Amino acid sequence: MNTRWLFADQLGPHFDDGGPLLFIEAKSVFARRKYHRQKAHLILTALHSRVLQDPERITFVQADTYRQGIGDLVPGNLEGIAATSRPARELVRTLGVGSVHPERGWFTSVEEFTQWAAKRDGKRFLMEDWYRTVRRAHNVLMVDGEPSGEPTSEPAGGRWNFDSENRLPPPRGHTHLPVPPPWQPTEDAIDERVRSQLDTWETEGIEFLGNDGPRRFAATRAEALSALDDFINHRLPMFGPYEDAVLWQDPFMAHSLLSVPLNLGLLHPREVVDRALSEYANGRATLASVEGFVRQVIGWREYVWHLYWHLGADYENLNALNAQQEPPEWFLELKTDEVQAHCLKHSLDYVRDLGYSHHIIRLMVLSNWALERGYQPQTISDWFRRAFVDGYPWVMAANVIGMGLYADGGVMATKPYASGGAYLKRMTDFCGGCRYDPKIRVGEKACPFTAGYWAFLHQHQDGFRRNHRMATAMRTMDKLTDLSSLVAQEAERGSAAP
Ligand SMILES: Cc1cc2nc3c(=O)[nH]c(=O)nc-3n(C[C@H](O)[C@H](O)[C@H](O)COP(=O)(O)OP(=O)(O)OC[C@H]3O[C@@H](n4cnc5c(N)ncnc54)[C@H](O)[C@@H]3O)c2cc1C
Ligand code: SF4
């Protein structure tokens, strides 16, 4: 019987068919890139915990590189399950692993995506279109959606989305969303051992980003199930209404914190979706909340995964706006002492202290800032991958290169996700405590997001004037009487911390 070599993001039961397993911890992975300390902690804890669950059946090798880890084993006698990144698949191929099973751990298959993409017939790919196709095909939240029944084309509740219910600004008068805090693991001896292993690596010269801190995310199958239970029972009902809102003292709001166990392969998206659907069926969560959550998992997550493969390796290197600015050290290294812009400071602080922030912070603060400031896309993509506990190569292409930085020139999004302070004022409570004013464009109190937005449009006006979705913004820009002083002000700001 072949031994199955699995990676540290293939840890759940759906990767294990009962035969002998091999896991390799390759130190060079951490030496090559400066990962967040809490991310390294999570990955190693997850890996070591998995190995200790079944020591009889699992061979565990700690080596410098994967190649050394394979050592005397005969690669032809090894098998694998398709890895989640191109470099990992290439490694498996060049090492001569005997056979590789198709990928596991996804709600939809590559064939489903390929068929859908082929039918787009040269038209732009739209997540919404993919999501509706998946819902119909898998009978998710469809009218008469009995498991045995024929899927209908009618969505439950008569609507495909509940944006009007789900895009609420943060509730006034609250510093935290009125939901119980998210589930948090109790650290054990494995955490302790991993922590001291990372300390040793640091003394040997391996560098990490961010602060160490108590582990916040699930790293074992049992923990993943507890985190899922907790989210479904206590937080799902509030997920929908406030999914886009930010209260700055509440980094988690009603988000699930499930990207880590999902991306480690500890949870299958099907079980996550099934749990949410049963809450709707039992009347314990509204359709708006359940739909909003299901959309994230079978819509966005699957879409992003398939696009990574579908768009190919060249996509990751796109730089349509020719953004060449080297991101400053204060941004990359999360040094926020001199950052006065309240939104940016606290967003970077979340990353430093947690290796996590929820979606709107990632999109509308961090990547919005990088986009407006012309930070080099591949450097930013690498940063998101290293700095976030759930960062993996497959997540970066569509989320960072496409959605966040518009470096694909419009494959993912019809227009850049750039915004000024007005959006942040509406959807967050950051602006109240800020020395800047989101309405002011020029001068001491000029909001760097507002001024940055107009300076960004001005810089790329030739291209944006050809995009009809930018027409209103360009017309507004043309009416600004202070545009030239604003552009000069932002040029002078350069890469200084705002
Ligand atoms: C610039 C940028 C960078 C991102 N980097 C990552 C990343 O490194 N890893 C990552 O998993 N997600 C990433 N995302 C997507 C999303 O922000 C995170 O999945 C989410 O914030 C994780 O927190 P949560 O589990 O509490 O999510 P919830 O808000 O509770 O959402 C539920 C689940 O939906 C899935 N999901 C939702 N949106 C996406 C998406 N766009 N792409 C992939 N999965 C999605 C996640 O698995 C998540 O756990 C990024 C988004 C942007 C805009
Ligand atoms: S005023 Fe501008 S810089 Fe300050 S918090 Fe609001 S958006 Fe951010």
Side-chain angles (χ1 to χ4, degrees), residues 15 22 39 55 71 125 177 191 265 287 333 448 491:
F15 295 100
L22 166 70
K39 178 175 187 152
F125 288 173
L177 208 58
D191 289 278
L287 179 56
E333 294 292 319

Side-chain angles (χ1 to χ4, degrees), residues 231 239 255-260 262-263 293 296-297 300-301 304 356-359 362-363 367 384 388 390-392 394-396 399-400 403-404:
F231 169 70
F239 177 87
H255 290 276
S256 69
L257 277 64
L258 292 176
S259 56
V260 168
L262 276 165
N263 294 358
F293 181 71
Q296 304 306 313
V297 181
W300 281 111
R301 187 169 187 271
V304 160
Y356 170 91
S357 73
H358 62 75
H359 189 74
R362 297 189 206 204
L363 186 63
S367 63
F384 268 106
F388 279 78
D390 54 10
Y392 289 87
W394 64 267
V395 200
M396 295 304 136
N399 277 315
V400 181
M403 212 176 348

Side-chain angles (χ1 to χ4, degrees), residues 5-218:
W5 172 24
L6 293 174
F7 285 98
D9 60 354
Q10 299 178 321
L11 300 176
H14 45 285
F15 295 100
D16 181 3
D17 294 329
L21 301 177
L22 166 70
F23 286 99
I24 300 172
E25 176 190 297
K27 189 172 165 185
S28 58
V29 170
F30 299 96
R32 248 195 327 260
R33 281 194 158 85
K34 189 169 175 179
Y35 283 104
H36 199 294
R37 164 89 191 210
Q38 293 184 45
K39 178 175 187 152
H41 183 127
L42 256 172
I43 292 174
L44 293 186
T45 303
L47 188 56
H48 292 194
S49 305
R50 177 70 186 93
V51 168
L52 285 173
Q53 274 156 17
D54 220 341
E56 305 289 300
R57 212 156 48 82
I58 298 179
T59 306
F60 182 47
V61 182
Q62 291 176 292
D64 261 1
T65 64
Y66 285 114
R67 193 175 290 275
Q68 285 172 15
I70 297 281
D72 296 336
L73 296 166
V74 181
N77 293 341
L78 292 177
E79 61 173 39
I81 292 181
T84 60
S85 74
R86 281 186 197 87
R89 287 191 184 179
E90 182 59 12
L91 174 77
V92 168
R93 197 187 62 75
T94 52
L95 287 176
V97 169
S99 62
V100 178
H101 299 280
E103 51 279 304
R104 294 186 185 178
W106 300 95
F107 195 93
T108 52
S109 65
V110 175
E111 291 71 36
E112 273 176 278
F113 187 84
T114 312
Q115 279 172 18
W116 172 79
K119 283 195 201 132
R120 297 299 299 157
D121 212 9
K123 280 184 280 175
R124 180 190 292 280
F125 288 173
L126 288 176
M127 197 296 287
E128 184 66 30
D129 186 56
W130 160 252
Y131 169 64
R132 292 180 190 187
T133 304
V134 178
R135 273 184 57 187
R136 285 196 191 96
H138 293 265
N139 213 354
V140 174
L141 290 177
M142 301 301 291
V143 175
D144 299 325
E146 294 298 320
S148 56
E150 279 293 299
T152 70
S153 53
E154 201 41 40
R159 284 151 65 190
W160 290 102
N161 76 61
F162 292 82
D163 285 354
S164 49
E165 285 93 327
N166 282 355
R167 297 237 168 114
L168 300 186
R172 281 180 189 281
H174 287 266
T175 56
H176 292 70
L177 208 58
V179 284
W183 174 91
Q184 188 173 348
T186 308
E187 290 198 6
D188 61 14
I190 300 176
D191 289 278
E192 206 174 307
R193 250 200 342 265
V194 164
R195 195 163 268 123
S196 91
Q197 177 175 339
L198 293 174
D199 289 344
T200 309
W201 284 4
E202 282 193 301
T203 60
E204 292 169 7
I206 294 185
E207 290 184 320
F208 294 104
L209 191 62
N211 290 342
D212 192 9
R215 181 160 64 83
R216 298 214 165 241
F217 301 90

Side-chain angles (χ1 to χ4, degrees), residues 341-343 421 424 430-431 434 436-438 447-449:
H342 207 223
C343 53
L424 290 168
F430 280 128
C431 298
C434 187
Y436 301 113
D437 182 331
C447 164
F449 277 87

